[in-house]
C-alpha cells in the first residue's frame, strides 16, 4: 500500500510502499476513503509530540470501508465507518464510567501506531467506530473524528453551552470553525478571534456575529465590550499562552473556559492569569476528543439541525501533498481544512 511516512522532522513526508496492515483480533482493517490533515499531526511533524518518532505514519481523522474483520470485531466487511482518534478499551473504570476519552489503555493510530496517511489502516477496539450516516460524504465524515467531535464534547460535555449565550472562539482553524458552526446551531452568539483577516471573514460568512483581529491587541477587552460584559463560554483552539490568557480574560463572572488547543513542547507550560479565574469565579475545563458513546448525540443533532459541514473542508488533496499541508501550519493558514481524498497520487 502507498503510505506517507515521517522520516525526518520538518521535512516532506516520504511516499513509500509498505505491506498492508494485519487485522487485529478485536478490530478491522479499513480502506481509507478520506483522512484529514490536522494541527495535531503538525505537532508530531515538527517533533513536539512526545509519542511521535521518525518512521511514524500519521493521520488520525479518517473514514473508511472495512476490508477485513477480526474474530472479535464489532463490524463486518463492507461497513463504512467513521473513527474517533481515541480508541478506548471499553472495559476499564474510565470507560465504564463513560469517560472513554481518558482510557489508560487507549489506542492511537496516527500517534503511536500506524495511522491513516495510507491506503489502509488497522483499527483495534473497533467498538469505538460508528457507521457513516447515509447522505454524508466520507470527505466530510473524516473531519468528525477529531475536529467536530472535540468541539461537540467541549461545548456540550464540558462547558454546557446554552442558547443565547456568548461564545468566544480563539483560533478559527478546523476545531475552531467546528465550534463556531456547532455553537451557532445551538443558539449561541459567536465571536471569532484570529490573526488572519481572510479567516475572520470566513468565520463571519459562517455565522459569527463579530470578529476580532488579535493583532490589534486588547482582545479580551474588545470581546468584553462586544458582548456587554464578557463571553459566557470561551474556547481556546490553538494551544498557546497568548490565546489561552485572552480566552480566560474575556469571560464574564462565572464564565467557562475550555482548553481545546493542545499545548505541547515550548507551549506546554504557560503563565496564566489566575487572578482573573479567582476574582470572576471562573471554571476552567480541559478536553481531549470525545467518548465514542456520544456519537449518536452528535449525529442526531447534525441531522435535526440541518448543519452543513461542507464549508469546513476547503481543500481536497492527494496523499503526496500531505507534507506540504503540514508545513503550511508553520505560519498562518488559509480558511478551512485539508482532507486527503486521493491515495494513489
Amino acid at each position: 500500500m502507498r503510505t506517507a511516512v515521517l522520516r525526518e522532522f520538518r521535512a516532506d513526508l516520504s511516499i513509500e510502499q509498505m505491506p498492508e496492515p494485519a487485522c487485529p483480533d478485536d478490530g478491522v482493517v479499513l480502506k481509507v476513503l478520506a483522512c484529514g490533515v490536522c494541527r495535531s499531526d503538525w505537532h508530531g511533524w515538527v517533533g513536539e509530540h512526545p509519542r511521535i518518532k521518525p518512521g511514524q505514519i500519521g493521520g488520525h481523522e479518517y473514514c473508511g470501508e472495512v476490508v477485513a474483520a477480526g474474530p472479535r470485531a464489532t463490524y463486518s466487511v463492507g461497513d463504512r465507518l467513521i473513527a474517533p482518534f481515541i480508541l478506548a478499551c471499553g472495559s476499564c473504570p474510565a470507560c465504564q464510567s463513560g469517560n472513554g476519552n481518558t482510557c489508560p489503555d487507549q489506542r492511537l493510530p496516527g500517534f503511536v501506531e500506524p495511522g491513516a496517511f495510507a491506503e489502509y489502516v488497522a483499527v483495534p477496539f473497533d467498538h469505538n467506530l460508528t457507521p457513516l450516516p447515509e447522505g454524508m460524504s466520507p470527505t466530510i465524515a473524516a473531519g468528525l473524528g477529531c475536529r467536530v467531535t472535540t468541539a461537540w464534547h467541549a461545548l456540550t460535555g464540558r462547558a454546557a453551552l446554552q442558547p443565547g449565550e456568548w461564545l468566544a472562539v480563539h483560533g478559527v482553524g478546523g476545531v475552531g470553525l467546528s465550534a463556531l458552526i456547532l455553537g451557532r446551531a445551538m443558539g449561541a452568539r459567536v465571536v471569532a478571534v484570529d490573526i488572519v483577516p481572510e479567516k475572520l471573514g470566513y468565520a463571519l460568512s459562517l455565522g459569527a456575529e463579530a470578529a476580532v483581529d488579535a493583532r490589534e491587541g486588547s482582545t479580551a477587552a474588545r470581546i468584553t465590550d462586544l458582548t456587554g460584559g464578557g463571553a459566557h463560554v470561551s474556547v481556546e483552539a490553538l494551544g498557546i499562552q497568548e490565546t489561552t490568557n485572552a480566552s480566560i480574560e474575556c469571560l464574564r463572572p462565572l464564565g467557562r473556559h475550555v482548553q481545546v488547543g493542545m499545548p505541547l513542547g515550548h507551549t506546554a507550560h504557560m503563565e496564566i492569569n489566575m487572578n482573573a479565574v479567582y476574582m470572576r469565579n471562573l471554571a476552567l475545563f480541559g478536553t481531549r476528543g470525545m467518548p465514542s458513546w456520544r456519537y449518536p448525540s452528535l449525529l442526531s443533532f447534525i441531522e435535526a439541525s440541518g448543519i452543513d459541514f461542507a464549508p469546513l473542508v476547503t481543500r481536497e488533496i492527494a496523499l503526496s501533498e500531505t507534507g506540504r499541508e503540514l508545513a503550511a501550519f508553520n505560519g498562518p493558514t488559509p480558511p478551512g481544512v485539508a482532507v486527503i481524498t486521493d491515495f494513489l497520487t
Side-chain angles (χ1 to χ4, degrees):
M1 66 175 182
R2 291 182 89 243
T3 62
V5 187
L6 172 67
R7 291 298 180 193
E8 181 182 348
F9 294 130
R10 295 184 178 273
D12 195 8
L13 299 184
S14 174
I15 303 300
E16 302 177 12
Q17 288 287 337
M18 289 190 170
E20 294 180 13
C23 186
D25 284 351
D26 58 358
V28 296
V29 173
L30 298 179
K31 178 181 180 181
V32 182
L33 301 175
C35 182
V37 183
C38 177
R39 181 172 287 274
S40 299
D41 297 309
W42 174 82
H43 282 293
W45 181 75
V46 299
E48 289 185 342
H49 198 295
R51 298 185 178 186
I52 297 178
K53 309 298 181 185
Q56 177 68 43
I57 301 172
H60 60 278
E61 296 185 321
Y62 53 98
C63 174
E65 181 176 329
V66 177
V67 294
R72 294 188 286 123
T74 300
Y75 292 101
S76 304
V77 172
D79 290 339
R80 303 179 87 191
L81 306 170
I82 310 169
F85 77 91
I86 297 172
L87 304 173
C89 75
S91 58
C92 70
C95 289
Q96 291 298 301
S97 66
N99 299 303
N101 57 328
T102 67
C103 172
D105 298 317
Q106 63 192 244
R107 304 286 293 273
L108 298 166
F111 294 101
V112 179
E113 46 213 314
F117 290 166
E119 289 184 83
Y120 299 92
V121 62
V123 187
F125 295 160
D126 76 324
H127 57 267
N128 291 276
L129 279 62
T130 197
L132 175 68
E134 187 175 346
M136 180 179 288
S137 75
T139 303
I140 301 302
L144 295 187
C146 177
R147 309 169 200 272
V148 177
T149 55
T150 296
W152 176 248
H153 192 56
L155 297 179
T156 62
R158 305 298 281 159
L161 180 69
Q162 300 299 309
E165 289 190 320
W166 280 101
L167 167 66
V169 180
H170 299 257
V172 284
V175 72
L177 283 179
S178 299
L180 186 164
I181 293 169
L182 288 168
R184 287 286 297 119
M186 294 170 65
R189 306 174 70 182
V190 182
V191 180
V193 184
D194 210 290
I195 61 171
V196 182
E198 188 182 5
K199 291 170 77 170
L200 291 172
Y202 199 60
L204 288 170
S205 75
L206 295 180
E209 194 162 327
V212 172
D213 190 332
R215 297 175 303 172
E216 298 174 3
S218 304
T219 298
R222 288 156 65 200
I223 294 173
T224 300
D225 288 343
L226 281 167
T227 58
H232 299 86
V233 173
S234 187
V235 167
E236 198 282 347
L238 194 58
I240 63 174
Q241 179 172 300
E242 292 80 2
T243 44
T244 299
N245 276 308
S247 176
I248 290 170
E249 292 168 359
C250 80
L251 289 166
R252 65 182 62 206
L254 301 178
R256 293 98 74 196
H257 162 87
V258 191
Q259 188 64 38
V260 171
M262 182 167 59
L264 283 177
H266 68 284
T267 67
H269 299 275
M270 305 179 187
E271 291 186 8
I272 299 299
N273 183 357
M274 292 303 291
N275 181 258
V277 178
Y278 172 77
M279 292 298 293
R280 299 181 202 170
N281 290 252
L282 304 180
L284 272 58
F285 295 98
T287 196
R288 174 175 171 266
M290 179 188 80
S292 61
W293 64 266
R294 299 204 65 220
Y295 258 118
S297 69
L298 170 60
L299 296 176
S300 295
F301 181 75
I302 291 173
E303 182 179 8
S305 58
I307 299 176
D308 180 12
F309 278 109
L312 187 62
V313 179
T314 54
R315 298 177 300 287
E316 293 188 34
I317 65 171
L319 184 66
S320 59
E321 298 174 300
T322 308
R324 183 193 68 189
E325 202 62 43
L326 289 170
F329 284 109
N330 287 330
T333 55
V337 303
V339 174
I340 306 165
T341 54
D342 175 4
F343 291 86
L344 300 178
T345 59

